[in-house]
Amino acid sequence: MEEREKASLKSTGRILLAHGAGGKLGHQLVADEILPLFSNPILARMDDSAILEIEGFRLAFTSDSYVVDPLFFPGGDIGRLAVCGTVNDLSMGGAKPLYLSLSLILEEGFPVEDMTRILLSSRRAAGEAGVQIVTGDTKVVGKGGVDKIFLNTSGIGLIPDRRVLASGHNARSGDQVILSGYLGDHGIAVISQREGIFWGEEIHSDVAPLNGLVEDIFRASQEVHALRDPTRGGLASALNEIARQSRVGIVLEESNIPIREPVRGACELLGLDPLYVANEGKLVAIVGRDAASDILEAMRKNPLGQRAEIIGEIVENPKGKVLLKTRIGGTRVVDMLAGEPLPRIC
Amino acid sequence: MEEREKASLKSTGRILLAHGAGGKLGHQLVADEILPLFSNPILARMDDSAILEIEGFRLAFTSDSYVVDPLFFPGGDIGRLAVCGTVNDLSMGGAKPLYLSLSLILEEGFPVEDMTRILLSSRRAAGEAGVQIVTGDTKVVGKGGVDKIFLNTSGIGLIPDRRVLASGHNARSGDQVILSGYLGDHGIAVISQREGIFWGEEIHSDVAPLNGLVEDIFRASQEVHALRDPTRGGLASALNEIARQSRVGIVLEESNIPIREPVRGACELLGLDPLYVANEGKLVAIVGRDAASDILEAMRKNPLGQRAEIIGEIVENPKGKVLLKTRIGGTRVVDMLAGEPLPRIC
């Protein structure tokens, strides 16, 4: 399978839409075609943000482009998404997000009113997160050169002095896997809006800044080994990354994974597995076994972690694999997404 | 004129291509529609990069998107442009550029070979500048959703401890205006490639990282009041910004402004004023009168400053205006570009 995909990239020699869906093909593009060109120890860590040491201080630095379609969806819009996404990537590095850039690429003819609505939403999200937008850039491209508006946000955060660096490389056998709440809300909200599907109950994106929740976690314990926000590619991809980086196995209990009924229903009808659907206001924390209950309790006191659950644990073997104990008592491998067709979800 | 333009933005309520050309309309879009939404003292300075104070250290932070068309042009490509542009924005803040992010938005079907060529060019430029690319992001958009490939680079630089902050706000009457070399090469190289025009002699973009030249300047003297790289909108826009920010006048000597013959000829044939054409490897330094000759000498020893010239000086009045003493002995106002049609030059 993997060989076949590699072969397909080599033979067509062209970017495929599936390269952007956060699954295997995307990882392959980055791992095989991009990373080798820029090898340096900071980039090679492949966490959600780069950790820099400048004059004895540790900074987190990250950048993301946003091309979500549609621009406005229940629970959010591209502006809120761009701010929260970058705040969350910094937070997953254990940093306190401080400063953001916000760059726009606009299509000629784009309504100024919509731009303003998006920017106001960015500002509101920055306010919620307590970060400042301090620099930016505006480009305009002729009609048809860009689909309406794309955003890019980059961010800088400060990692507190004594904080132990959370990293996808630090998961250890016995660690507990905590998920902060319901899975799949963002992806299903966007897809439903794009396709014009109504599920009887409106499904809202969970897009939110998680830096407050991360601070609550670190206040409860320093035994936080890895943090990741399961965005593109969903929980399955985030955990597969950690399993590979830390060379451990991860066993999940399906019955403990919180999923809203309408999201579960929508996934069934759309033929999607909620483990692969994007989230924008959830985190998964890999924490020391003894610290798990304190951390869980702290998370549940935060409105963004009320439905947190311990959903699994880290095991020695099989290394690099994620397993799911299903409700009906079986066990299946949760692989990295192969080439799943959920483009432009963020 | 200004009122008419403001009215046109309000009445159509849509983004125009001219909003992206680095002239008055672009400034108006940013100043009237974007900045007021994010007012904070750091952003309000409107220099090429934001200056942050973190734990007692001063960092520069900047972000730019690149949508240049064509992707490859004599002397460079979008990859080199993206790295140099961000390195230069940091350098203009008086910072030593350290770390860059590099984010791609790719169109489905884009040749992997071209992507690789662009990334290798980014890497080479990063090597020249001595910066590391430490984080990034890859998005893929369906056919027609983006024109081939857009890049975004953000960067972090450290401002040395005792360095006086260069800023567009610090120009003072009597200061000298130094330009580091030939004007207009980048814009004419891109336009010629895009339109398929050959001028008898190939015109190469000047795209280059200027951080080395900036260090040479500061080694020569700390009397550096403002630094700016005249990119979109050209020298005229850069100097108009400084004149406004510092509430001073600027008088230029046309005969001292170095312009290559083929560029001058191309500008005449295309109906362009070289003062408004984009540069990507030039800087303008506003420096104390007594330091000017030392700085000029230091610049000329650097290959990127060999053709540096003192091209004018800062005067008390007229405040906020740039004047040009022409070769034939007249004086004309060099206004901000109104809505000049040079889109997608960077």
Side-chain angles (χ1 to χ4, degrees):
Chain A
M1 178 74 166
E2 222 158 304
E3 282 312 306
R4 180 149 39 103
E5 283 154 7
K6 232 172 235 180
S8 98
L9 177 65
K10 292 284 179 216
S11 65
T12 73
R14 291 189 179 270
I15 298 295
L16 309 174
L17 207 46
H19 282 125
K24 264 192 190 171
L25 275 175
H27 276 259
Q28 181 192 318
L29 178 72
V30 173
D32 294 356
E33 308 289 336
I34 299 179
L35 279 188
L37 305 181
F38 297 99
S39 63
N40 66 58
I42 300 171
L43 188 63
R45 295 187 66 80
M46 284 292 286
D47 278 317
D48 284 338
S49 55
I51 308 299
L52 315 175
E53 291 228 14
I54 300 182
E55 300 283 335
F57 292 94
R58 292 179 302 173
L59 297 179
F61 177 38
T62 190
S63 179
D64 264 296
S65 299
Y66 295 85
V67 300
V68 65
D69 171 34
L71 301 174
F72 303 96
F73 45 82
D77 58 43
I78 191 171
R80 181 173 177 81
L81 195 61
V83 167
C84 295
T86 289
V87 163
N88 293 348
D89 279 348
L90 293 171
S91 306
M92 297 311 123
K96 294 186 182 191
L98 296 174
Y99 299 107
L100 257 54
S101 69
L102 176 62
S103 296
L104 317 176
I105 304 176
L106 293 155
E107 185 180 22
E108 183 186 12
F110 189 71
V112 174
E113 196 185 329
D114 285 354
M115 181 189 77
T116 305
R117 196 175 148 200
I118 288 165
L119 293 175
L120 285 173
S121 173
S122 295
R123 180 176 76 177
R124 207 158 33 234
E128 280 173 49
V131 298
Q132 284 188 70
I133 295 171
V134 293
T135 189
D137 171 50
T138 310
K139 291 286 188 307
V140 181
V141 175
K143 200 91 192 157
V146 59
D147 189 10
K148 299 190 272 290
I149 183 173
F150 293 164
L151 301 187
N152 178 285
T153 44
S154 300
I156 298 178
L158 180 67
I159 300 170
D161 239 0
R162 289 159 192 226
R163 183 165 291 177
V164 177
L165 225 52
S167 161
H169 295 81
N170 296 351
R172 295 192 291 245
S173 181
D175 283 355
Q176 303 293 293
V177 181
I178 305 179
L179 175 65
S180 66
Y182 292 112
L183 220 53
D185 295 2
H186 175 74
I188 297 301
V190 171
I191 270 285
S192 306
Q193 180 77 13
R194 185 153 81 205
E195 306 300 333
I197 314 170
F198 184 67
W199 306 102
E201 182 178 334
E202 195 169 60
I203 296 168
H204 286 251
S205 165
D206 58 348
V207 55
L210 294 170
N211 49 332
L213 184 61
V214 168
E215 290 308 310
D216 289 346
I217 290 173
F218 278 106
R219 259 192 295 272
S221 167
Q222 293 289 309
E223 285 299 312
V224 184
H225 299 160
L227 286 172
R228 191 91 15 135
D229 57 336
T231 55
R232 265 192 299 179
L235 182 69
S237 301
L239 290 180
N240 266 285
E241 276 175 25
I242 293 172
R244 285 179 191 193
Q245 291 180 330
S246 297
R247 293 166 210 276
V248 295
I250 300 180
V251 179
L252 301 177
E253 286 286 348
E254 186 175 30
S255 57
N256 288 356
I257 300 175
I259 301 171
R260 286 180 214 278
E261 261 326 302
V263 169
R264 190 187 302 280
C267 282
E268 267 168 30
L269 286 164
L270 293 167
L272 297 171
D273 182 338
L275 294 179
Y276 293 93
V277 176
N279 313 276
E280 294 288 347
K282 295 296 166 346
L283 64 80
V284 59
I286 313 287
V287 306
R289 182 192 290 276
D290 296 342
S293 66
D294 285 356
I295 290 174
L296 188 65
E297 196 184 324
M299 287 174 73
R300 285 182 173 166
K301 285 186 187 144
N302 184 310
L304 295 173
Q306 270 179 328
R307 287 292 286 116
E309 294 287 350
I310 296 176
I311 61 163
E313 74 173 339
I314 307 297
V315 294
E316 199 86 36
N317 291 300
K319 293 194 199 311
K321 296 270 179 225
V322 179
L323 304 176
L324 182 76
K325 287 198 192 157
T326 62
R327 267 169 221 282
I328 53 166
T331 298
R332 68 174 174 92
V333 172
V334 178
D335 205 350
M336 212 134 203
L337 199 64
E340 204 255 1
L342 266 188
R344 301 191 64 180
I345 216 75
C346 63
Chain B
M1 180 75 167
E2 223 156 304
E3 282 312 306
R4 181 151 37 105
E5 282 154 8
K6 230 172 236 179
S8 98
L9 176 64
K10 293 283 180 219
S11 66
T12 72
R14 292 189 179 270
I15 299 296
L16 310 175
L17 206 46
H19 283 126
K24 264 193 192 171
L25 274 177
H27 276 260
Q28 182 193 318
L29 178 71
V30 173
D32 294 355
E33 308 288 337
I34 298 179
L35 279 188
L37 306 181
F38 296 100
S39 63
N40 66 57
I42 301 171
L43 188 63
R45 292 187 67 82
M46 284 292 285
D47 278 317
D48 284 338
S49 55
I51 307 299
L52 314 175
E53 291 229 14
I54 299 183
E55 301 281 334
F57 292 95
R58 292 179 303 172
L59 297 179
F61 177 38
T62 190
S63 178
D64 265 295
S65 298
Y66 296 86
V67 299
V68 65
D69 172 35
L71 301 174
F72 303 97
F73 45 82
D77 58 43
I78 191 171
R80 181 173 177 81
L81 195 60
V83 167
C84 294
T86 289
V87 162
N88 292 348
D89 279 348
L90 293 172
S91 306
M92 297 309 125
K96 295 187 181 189
L98 297 174
Y99 299 107
L100 258 53
S101 69
L102 176 61
S103 296
L104 319 175
I105 303 177
L106 293 155
E107 185 180 23
E108 182 186 14
F110 189 72
V112 174
E113 196 185 330
D114 286 354
M115 181 188 77
T116 305
R117 195 175 148 200
I118 289 165
L119 293 175
L120 285 173
S121 174
S122 296
R123 180 176 76 176
R124 207 158 33 235
E128 280 173 48
V131 298
Q132 284 188 69
I133 295 172
V134 292
T135 188
D137 170 51
T138 311
K139 292 286 190 304
V140 180
V141 175
K143 201 92 191 158
V146 58
D147 188 9
K148 299 189 272 290
I149 183 173
F150 293 164
L151 301 189
N152 178 284
T153 43
S154 299
I156 298 178
L158 180 67
I159 301 171
D161 238 0
R162 286 156 194 229
R163 183 165 291 176
V164 178
L165 224 52
S167 162
H169 295 81
N170 296 352
R172 294 192 291 243
S173 180
D175 284 355
Q176 302 293 292
V177 181
I178 305 179
L179 175 66
S180 66
Y182 293 112
L183 221 52
D185 295 3
H186 175 74
I188 297 301
V190 170
I191 270 285
S192 305
Q193 180 76 14
R194 184 153 81 206
E195 307 299 334
I197 313 168
F198 183 67
W199 306 102
E201 182 178 333
E202 195 169 61
I203 296 167
H204 286 250
S205 165
D206 59 348
V207 55
L210 294 169
N211 49 332
L213 185 60
V214 168
E215 290 308 309
D216 288 347
I217 291 173
F218 278 105
R219 259 192 295 274
S221 167
Q222 293 289 310
E223 285 299 312
V224 184
H225 299 159
L227 287 171
R228 191 99 3 144
D229 57 335
T231 56
R232 264 192 300 179
L235 181 69
S237 301
L239 290 180
N240 266 285
E241 276 176 25
I242 293 173
R244 286 179 191 192
Q245 290 179 332
S246 295
R247 294 165 209 277
V248 295
I250 301 179
V251 180
L252 302 177
E253 285 286 349
E254 186 175 29
S255 57
N256 289 356
I257 300 175
I259 301 171
R260 286 180 214 279
E261 262 326 302
V263 169
R264 190 186 301 281
C267 281
E268 266 167 29
L269 286 164
L270 293 167
L272 296 171
D273 181 339
L275 294 179
Y276 293 93
V277 175
N279 312 277
E280 293 290 345
K282 295 296 167 345
L283 64 81
V284 59
I286 313 287
V287 307
R289 182 192 291 276
D290 296 342
S293 66
D294 285 355
I295 289 175
L296 188 65
E297 196 184 323
M299 287 173 74
R300 285 181 172 166
K301 285 186 188 146
N302 185 309
L304 295 174
Q306 270 178 330
R307 288 292 286 116
E309 293 287 350
I310 295 176
I311 60 164
E313 74 173 338
I314 307 296
V315 293
E316 199 86 37
N317 290 300
K319 294 196 199 307
K321 297 269 178 226
V322 179
L323 304 176
L324 182 76
K325 287 197 190 158
T326 62
R327 269 168 219 281
I328 53 168
T331 297
R332 67 172 174 93
V333 173
V334 178
D335 205 349
M336 211 133 204
L337 198 66
E340 203 254 1
L342 265 188
R344 302 190 63 180
I345 216 76
C346 63

mmCIF file of all heavy atoms in Angstrom, chain B residues 116-141:
data_model
loop_
_atom_site.group_PDB
_atom_site.id
_atom_site.type_symbol
_atom_site.label_atom_id
_atom_site.label_comp_id
_atom_site.label_asym_id
_atom_site.label_seq_id
_atom_site.Cartn_x
_atom_site.Cartn_y
_atom_site.Cartn_z
ATOM 1 N N THR B 116 9.887 21.272 -6.038
ATOM 2 C CA THR B 116 11.236 20.973 -5.541
ATOM 3 C C THR B 116 12.215 22.059 -5.943
ATOM 4 O O THR B 116 13.040 22.505 -5.137
ATOM 5 C CB THR B 116 11.692 19.607 -6.095
ATOM 6 O OG1 THR B 116 10.705 18.634 -5.752
ATOM 7 C CG2 THR B 116 13.029 19.203 -5.511
ATOM 8 N N ARG B 117 12.103 22.506 -7.175
ATOM 9 C CA ARG B 117 12.992 23.562 -7.655
ATOM 10 C C ARG B 117 12.827 24.830 -6.808
ATOM 11 O O ARG B 117 13.806 25.486 -6.432
ATOM 12 C CB ARG B 117 12.629 23.842 -9.128
ATOM 13 C CG ARG B 117 13.663 24.625 -9.879
ATOM 14 C CD ARG B 117 13.262 24.741 -11.357
ATOM 15 N NE ARG B 117 13.738 25.993 -11.911
ATOM 16 C CZ ARG B 117 13.257 26.567 -13.002
ATOM 17 N NH1 ARG B 117 12.272 25.987 -13.684
ATOM 18 N NH2 ARG B 117 13.757 27.717 -13.432
ATOM 19 N N ILE B 118 11.587 25.144 -6.489
ATOM 20 C CA ILE B 118 11.292 26.333 -5.674
ATOM 21 C C ILE B 118 11.844 26.164 -4.263
ATOM 22 O O ILE B 118 12.449 27.082 -3.690
ATOM 23 C CB ILE B 118 9.764 26.583 -5.657
ATOM 24 C CG1 ILE B 118 9.308 27.084 -7.038
ATOM 25 C CG2 ILE B 118 9.372 27.555 -4.548
ATOM 26 C CD1 ILE B 118 7.811 27.020 -7.257
ATOM 27 N N LEU B 119 11.652 24.977 -3.703
ATOM 28 C CA LEU B 119 12.126 24.743 -2.337
ATOM 29 C C LEU B 119 13.651 24.759 -2.269
ATOM 30 O O LEU B 119 14.233 25.283 -1.314
ATOM 31 C CB LEU B 119 11.581 23.413 -1.800
ATOM 32 C CG LEU B 119 10.058 23.381 -1.592
ATOM 33 C CD1 LEU B 119 9.603 21.983 -1.166
ATOM 34 C CD2 LEU B 119 9.620 24.407 -0.556
ATOM 35 N N LEU B 120 14.294 24.199 -3.275
ATOM 36 C CA LEU B 120 15.765 24.225 -3.299
ATOM 37 C C LEU B 120 16.272 25.665 -3.384
ATOM 38 O O LEU B 120 17.281 26.022 -2.770
ATOM 39 C CB LEU B 120 16.295 23.405 -4.481
ATOM 40 C CG LEU B 120 16.217 21.893 -4.285
ATOM 41 C CD1 LEU B 120 16.598 21.163 -5.568
ATOM 42 C CD2 LEU B 120 17.125 21.452 -3.139
ATOM 43 N N SER B 121 15.546 26.472 -4.129
ATOM 44 C CA SER B 121 15.918 27.871 -4.245
ATOM 45 C C SER B 121 15.730 28.591 -2.902
ATOM 46 O O SER B 121 16.559 29.415 -2.497
ATOM 47 C CB SER B 121 15.068 28.502 -5.344
ATOM 48 O OG SER B 121 15.279 29.871 -5.406
ATOM 49 N N SER B 122 14.650 28.258 -2.185
ATOM 50 C CA SER B 122 14.445 28.800 -0.830
ATOM 51 C C SER B 122 15.593 28.405 0.076
ATOM 52 O O SER B 122 16.108 29.213 0.851
ATOM 53 C CB SER B 122 13.154 28.257 -0.205
ATOM 54 O OG SER B 122 12.033 28.669 -0.907
ATOM 55 N N ARG B 123 15.978 27.141 -0.026
ATOM 56 C CA ARG B 123 17.043 26.646 0.834
ATOM 57 C C ARG B 123 18.354 27.387 0.556
ATOM 58 O O ARG B 123 19.070 27.791 1.477
ATOM 59 C CB ARG B 123 17.240 25.146 0.616
ATOM 60 C CG ARG B 123 18.345 24.593 1.492
ATOM 61 C CD ARG B 123 18.481 23.102 1.351
ATOM 62 N NE ARG B 123 19.149 22.742 0.106
ATOM 63 C CZ ARG B 123 19.463 21.495 -0.219
ATOM 64 N NH1 ARG B 123 19.138 20.498 0.595
ATOM 65 N NH2 ARG B 123 20.063 21.232 -1.352
ATOM 66 N N ARG B 124 18.638 27.567 -0.722
ATOM 67 C CA ARG B 124 19.867 28.263 -1.095
ATOM 68 C C ARG B 124 19.851 29.695 -0.552
ATOM 69 O O ARG B 124 20.835 30.165 0.011
ATOM 70 C CB ARG B 124 19.998 28.264 -2.620
ATOM 71 C CG ARG B 124 21.417 28.338 -3.118
ATOM 72 C CD ARG B 124 21.558 27.811 -4.552
ATOM 73 N NE ARG B 124 20.382 28.063 -5.360
ATOM 74 C CZ ARG B 124 19.687 27.132 -6.015
ATOM 75 N NH1 ARG B 124 20.039 25.857 -5.976
ATOM 76 N NH2 ARG B 124 18.636 27.465 -6.734
ATOM 77 N N ALA B 125 18.725 30.360 -0.698
ATOM 78 C CA ALA B 125 18.623 31.744 -0.200
ATOM 79 C C ALA B 125 18.771 31.773 1.321
ATOM 80 O O ALA B 125 19.419 32.665 1.876
ATOM 81 C CB ALA B 125 17.298 32.356 -0.629
ATOM 82 N N ALA B 126 18.177 30.790 2.007
ATOM 83 C CA ALA B 126 18.297 30.733 3.464
ATOM 84 C C ALA B 126 19.757 30.531 3.856
ATOM 85 O O ALA B 126 20.246 31.137 4.818
ATOM 86 C CB ALA B 126 17.421 29.610 4.025
ATOM 87 N N GLY B 127 20.450 29.702 3.079
ATOM 88 C CA GLY B 127 21.874 29.495 3.321
ATOM 89 C C GLY B 127 22.672 30.789 3.162
ATOM 90 O O GLY B 127 23.494 31.135 4.003
ATOM 91 N N GLU B 128 22.395 31.508 2.087
ATOM 92 C CA GLU B 128 23.077 32.797 1.865
ATOM 93 C C GLU B 128 22.854 33.758 3.029
ATOM 94 O O GLU B 128 23.751 34.506 3.424
ATOM 95 C CB GLU B 128 22.523 33.482 0.607
ATOM 96 C CG GLU B 128 23.084 32.968 -0.694
ATOM 97 C CD GLU B 128 22.356 33.593 -1.880
ATOM 98 O OE1 GLU B 128 22.174 34.821 -1.911
ATOM 99 O OE2 GLU B 128 21.949 32.826 -2.777
ATOM 100 N N ALA B 129 21.622 33.745 3.540
ATOM 101 C CA ALA B 129 21.266 34.698 4.601
ATOM 102 C C ALA B 129 21.689 34.179 5.972
ATOM 103 O O ALA B 129 21.655 34.935 6.945
ATOM 104 C CB ALA B 129 19.766 34.955 4.581
ATOM 105 N N GLY B 130 22.034 32.903 6.054
ATOM 106 C CA GLY B 130 22.401 32.331 7.349
ATOM 107 C C GLY B 130 21.226 32.160 8.283
ATOM 108 O O GLY B 130 21.359 32.282 9.501
ATOM 109 N N VAL B 131 20.039 31.881 7.724
ATOM 110 C CA VAL B 131 18.861 31.635 8.571
ATOM 111 C C VAL B 131 18.420 30.185 8.407
ATOM 112 O O VAL B 131 18.752 29.519 7.429
ATOM 113 C CB VAL B 131 17.681 32.566 8.204
ATOM 114 C CG1 VAL B 131 18.067 34.024 8.434
ATOM 115 C CG2 VAL B 131 17.231 32.351 6.764
ATOM 116 N N GLN B 132 17.670 29.702 9.387
ATOM 117 C CA GLN B 132 17.156 28.340 9.328
ATOM 118 C C GLN B 132 15.652 28.356 9.096
ATOM 119 O O GLN B 132 14.932 29.114 9.746
ATOM 120 C CB GLN B 132 17.431 27.614 10.638
ATOM 121 C CG GLN B 132 18.858 27.183 10.806
ATOM 122 C CD GLN B 132 19.013 26.291 12.037
ATOM 123 O OE1 GLN B 132 18.535 25.164 12.056
ATOM 124 N NE2 GLN B 132 19.655 26.815 13.047
ATOM 125 N N ILE B 133 15.195 27.480 8.209
ATOM 126 C CA ILE B 133 13.755 27.283 8.028
ATOM 127 C C ILE B 133 13.341 26.183 8.997
ATOM 128 O O ILE B 133 13.784 25.045 8.875
ATOM 129 C CB ILE B 133 13.443 26.916 6.565
ATOM 130 C CG1 ILE B 133 13.799 28.120 5.676
ATOM 131 C CG2 ILE B 133 11.986 26.511 6.400
ATOM 132 C CD1 ILE B 133 13.726 27.861 4.190
ATOM 133 N N VAL B 134 12.528 26.533 9.998
ATOM 134 C CA VAL B 134 12.298 25.615 11.122
ATOM 135 C C VAL B 134 10.875 25.104 11.237
ATOM 136 O O VAL B 134 10.600 24.196 12.033
ATOM 137 C CB VAL B 134 12.688 26.271 12.473
ATOM 138 C CG1 VAL B 134 14.193 26.479 12.543
ATOM 139 C CG2 VAL B 134 11.937 27.576 12.688
ATOM 140 N N THR B 135 9.949 25.670 10.483
ATOM 141 C CA THR B 135 8.579 25.181 10.576
ATOM 142 C C THR B 135 7.860 25.538 9.288
ATOM 143 O O THR B 135 8.366 26.343 8.494
ATOM 144 C CB THR B 135 7.863 25.734 11.828
ATOM 145 O OG1 THR B 135 6.601 25.090 11.995
ATOM 146 C CG2 THR B 135 7.646 27.242 11.743
ATOM 147 N N GLY B 136 6.713 24.928 9.058
ATOM 148 C CA GLY B 136 5.995 25.204 7.830
ATOM 149 C C GLY B 136 4.681 24.480 7.789
ATOM 150 O O GLY B 136 4.257 23.877 8.783
ATOM 151 N N ASP B 137 4.063 24.539 6.647
ATOM 152 C CA ASP B 137 2.713 24.002 6.513
ATOM 153 C C ASP B 137 2.476 23.800 5.018
ATOM 154 O O ASP B 137 2.994 24.557 4.195
ATOM 155 C CB ASP B 137 1.732 25.027 7.099
ATOM 156 C CG ASP B 137 0.286 24.709 6.811
ATOM 157 O OD1 ASP B 137 -0.122 23.567 7.071
ATOM 158 O OD2 ASP B 137 -0.434 25.600 6.315
ATOM 159 N N THR B 138 1.717 22.768 4.666
ATOM 160 C CA THR B 138 1.418 22.506 3.261
ATOM 161 C C THR B 138 -0.082 22.332 3.088
ATOM 162 O O THR B 138 -0.674 21.475 3.730
ATOM 163 C CB THR B 138 2.125 21.221 2.790
ATOM 164 O OG1 THR B 138 3.494 21.288 3.177
ATOM 165 C CG2 THR B 138 2.044 21.065 1.293
ATOM 166 N N LYS B 139 -0.682 23.170 2.264
ATOM 167 C CA LYS B 139 -2.095 23.005 1.942
ATOM 168 C C LYS B 139 -2.216 22.749 0.440
ATOM 169 O O LYS B 139 -1.419 23.267 -0.346
ATOM 170 C CB LYS B 139 -2.886 24.259 2.294
ATOM 171 C CG LYS B 139 -3.002 24.554 3.783
ATOM 172 C CD LYS B 139 -3.966 23.632 4.479
ATOM 173 C CE LYS B 139 -4.283 24.049 5.894
ATOM 174 N NZ LYS B 139 -3.121 24.212 6.774
ATOM 175 N N VAL B 140 -3.214 21.938 0.084
ATOM 176 C CA VAL B 140 -3.492 21.690 -1.327
ATOM 177 C C VAL B 140 -4.922 22.128 -1.615
ATOM 178 O O VAL B 140 -5.835 21.825 -0.843
ATOM 179 C CB VAL B 140 -3.322 20.198 -1.680
ATOM 180 C CG1 VAL B 140 -3.620 19.965 -3.155
ATOM 181 C CG2 VAL B 140 -1.918 19.726 -1.340
ATOM 182 N N VAL B 141 -5.106 22.848 -2.709
ATOM 183 C CA VAL B 141 -6.410 23.360 -3.092
ATOM 184 C C VAL B 141 -6.726 22.802 -4.477
ATOM 185 O O VAL B 141 -5.828 22.630 -5.303
ATOM 186 C CB VAL B 141 -6.380 24.908 -3.093
ATOM 187 C CG1 VAL B 141 -7.674 25.480 -3.607
ATOM 188 C CG2 VAL B 141 -6.071 25.425 -1.703
#
